[in-house]
Amino acid sequence: MPVGGLVPRAVDDAADVIVRNAKIYTGDSSRPHAGALAIRDGRVTVVGDDAEVAPFVGPATTVVDALGRRVVPGLNDAHLHVIRGGLNYVLELRWDGVTSLRQALAMLREQAARTPKGQWVRVVGGWSAEQFAERRLPTPAELNAAAPDTPVFVLHLYQSAILNRAALRAVGYTRDTPDPKGGQIVRGRNGEPNGMLLAAPSALILYSTLAKAPLLEGEDRKTSTRYFLRELNRFGLTSAIDAAGGFQNFPDNYGTVTELARDGLLSLRIAYHLFPQTPGQELDDLRRWIEMVRPEDGDEWLRLNGAGENLTWAAADFENFAEPRPELSGDYETDFEKAVRLLMAHGWGFRLHATYDETIRRDLAVFEKLAAEGLFPAGNRWLFDHAETVSRDSLDRIAALGGAMSVQNRMSFQGEAFTRRYGSGAAAEAPPVRAMLERGLTVGAGTDATRVSSYNPWVALHWLISGRTIGGLAIRPPQNRVDRETALAMYTRAGAALTGEEDVKGVLRPGFFGDLAVLSDDYFTVPEQEIPHIESLLTVVGGRIVHAAADYEGLDEELPPISPVWSPVAHFGGYQRTGLPGVRQAELLGQAVAESELHRQWRVRRGLAPETASTPFDPCFVL
């Protein structure tokens, strides 16, 4: 936008983008605060005040007046299933942020009416029953009423899925369909499936059922991924570490992001992992991939970061806190050790899904055996993901082996279930974030979206700071919470360290990537309960404006029309804005009344209004 006093100059080192009149938190301890910065060729060139950036305004420079708003380094989700999420995003009805089941069912009913024959309505994670005013799940009967003819699949955490009759017909589940291992098809008195699927405790029944739904093809996959990345940009995300996951095959399911990266169309930096998909075939997959690619292949937009989050299926526990902790096989270490040896010998780091300390201790014993032989970690980055019940002793062992941690706010969606099963004492330490930090471990933060938690990073930051679930339950005491600056560092600098990019990403410093977000509210001063409502008004990645709203609307890059045209995203968008909490609305109303009275007094003093005060209340409410 044009800014008075800043006159374009024909200079050779003109900036591409300048942000001025801002409250910039840089994350750089040598200069934590600034008022302006300049970006050229994708990198920050100047951090200072308005006067220091003024000489770098050229005829083609985009000058952004932040209007005194808070600016932070771009956020980096350290555990996000971004590749899989992008391939399906425009097909999904998102209940993220919806505050009542009544509203959620109304959205579902409306979407079913516009969904063509042969397609499904699918709600795939990002919500919990605890966020609804009704505090319950929808029933199969409610799905049948909302969509009598269109298949409906609703995924709830790693716990369950609800299907209507049309979806049961579409997937072919009948009274004769056997329960898969680790899962249950709930049946009525007549023996027919009633629409409920339970993870008991494996979520594979949920994901294998979802995999029967129609998929996008070709250009629609690219469009879907671009809209998902724009949705992430909406919340200030500029980077993510893709944790791979089930039903994400390499190289097939990585083709879309690879093509977008080749064409310069990614708006989010992605470091990805490779996850063996077939039990019993994991070592063959890893050997094949080692011949195809190497860690850090790619560029600053798309790069391989290693293996995981599973190396072998037998070593993976499941995180359905509505069910008892799964007992893993007594000999999984044999193949697990072979996988780790293979990776270490070829310079591959990895990340490892491990929910429970029982699993972590067994994995650590394998690492310590290899370390005694001088084979681990062999200079490779490695980390544990999740670790809700990791012990202090295990953290000491992780630190001794040079490991790192990545934690997600799964407990803000599953905290009530965890508390019911394990008690409030265990929930208070799930996971022990402060204990991790006290040991000097790098601790990245993320969401584990999209099939459990929402992808909204501010919900995760709120959980780190407040210790509260999205249902409002306080499960983590102050001694296991972190302050706002620490939480932001976990979402910026720590994520960069997990991909070996700490020298170029995560802070706003000359020479670092020009990745930043201009926020709707000041993260450092906004009331704690309003942190989840923060969004980015302007997101910049490498000097490109990839998201723009409010005063900046229209500055971002244009996207192609959403396809298919009946997409839920085309009508409802993604994360649902919930507005201000009722208490905060009341506070603002009170402020408005007070300001109105001050304005009346100002007019009286100047003879512009009569002395008699008018009531600020509607006379209809006077008794």
Side-chain angles (χ1 to χ4, degrees), residues 338-349:
K338 290 177 182 178
V340 177
R341 283 183 181 274
L342 178 65
L343 294 172
M344 294 300 99
H346 290 85
W348 278 58

Side-chain angles (χ1 to χ4, degrees), residues 45 79 94 186 213 299 325 369-370 383 403 447 450 492 529 557 620:
T45 55
H79 186 119
R94 304 302 306 180
V186 181
D299 58 20
R325 177 181 63 82
K369 175 183 176 182
L370 298 181
L383 63 97
T447 58
T450 59
T492 52
Q529 68 271 21
E557 302 163 346
C620 292

Side-chain angles (χ1 to χ4, degrees), residues 81 84 242-249 254 273 275-277 308-309 313:
H81 296 280
R84 185 177 67 193
D242 184 86
F247 298 91
Q248 183 172 312
N249 293 292
Y254 292 71
H273 288 254
F275 181 133
Q277 296 294 307
E309 62 182 289
W313 278 96

Side-chain angles (χ1 to χ4, degrees), residues 247-264:
F247 298 91
Q248 183 172 312
N249 293 292
F250 180 82
D252 300 351
N253 296 133
Y254 292 71
T256 297
V257 291
T258 300
E259 291 181 32
L260 290 174
R262 180 197 63 201
D263 297 337

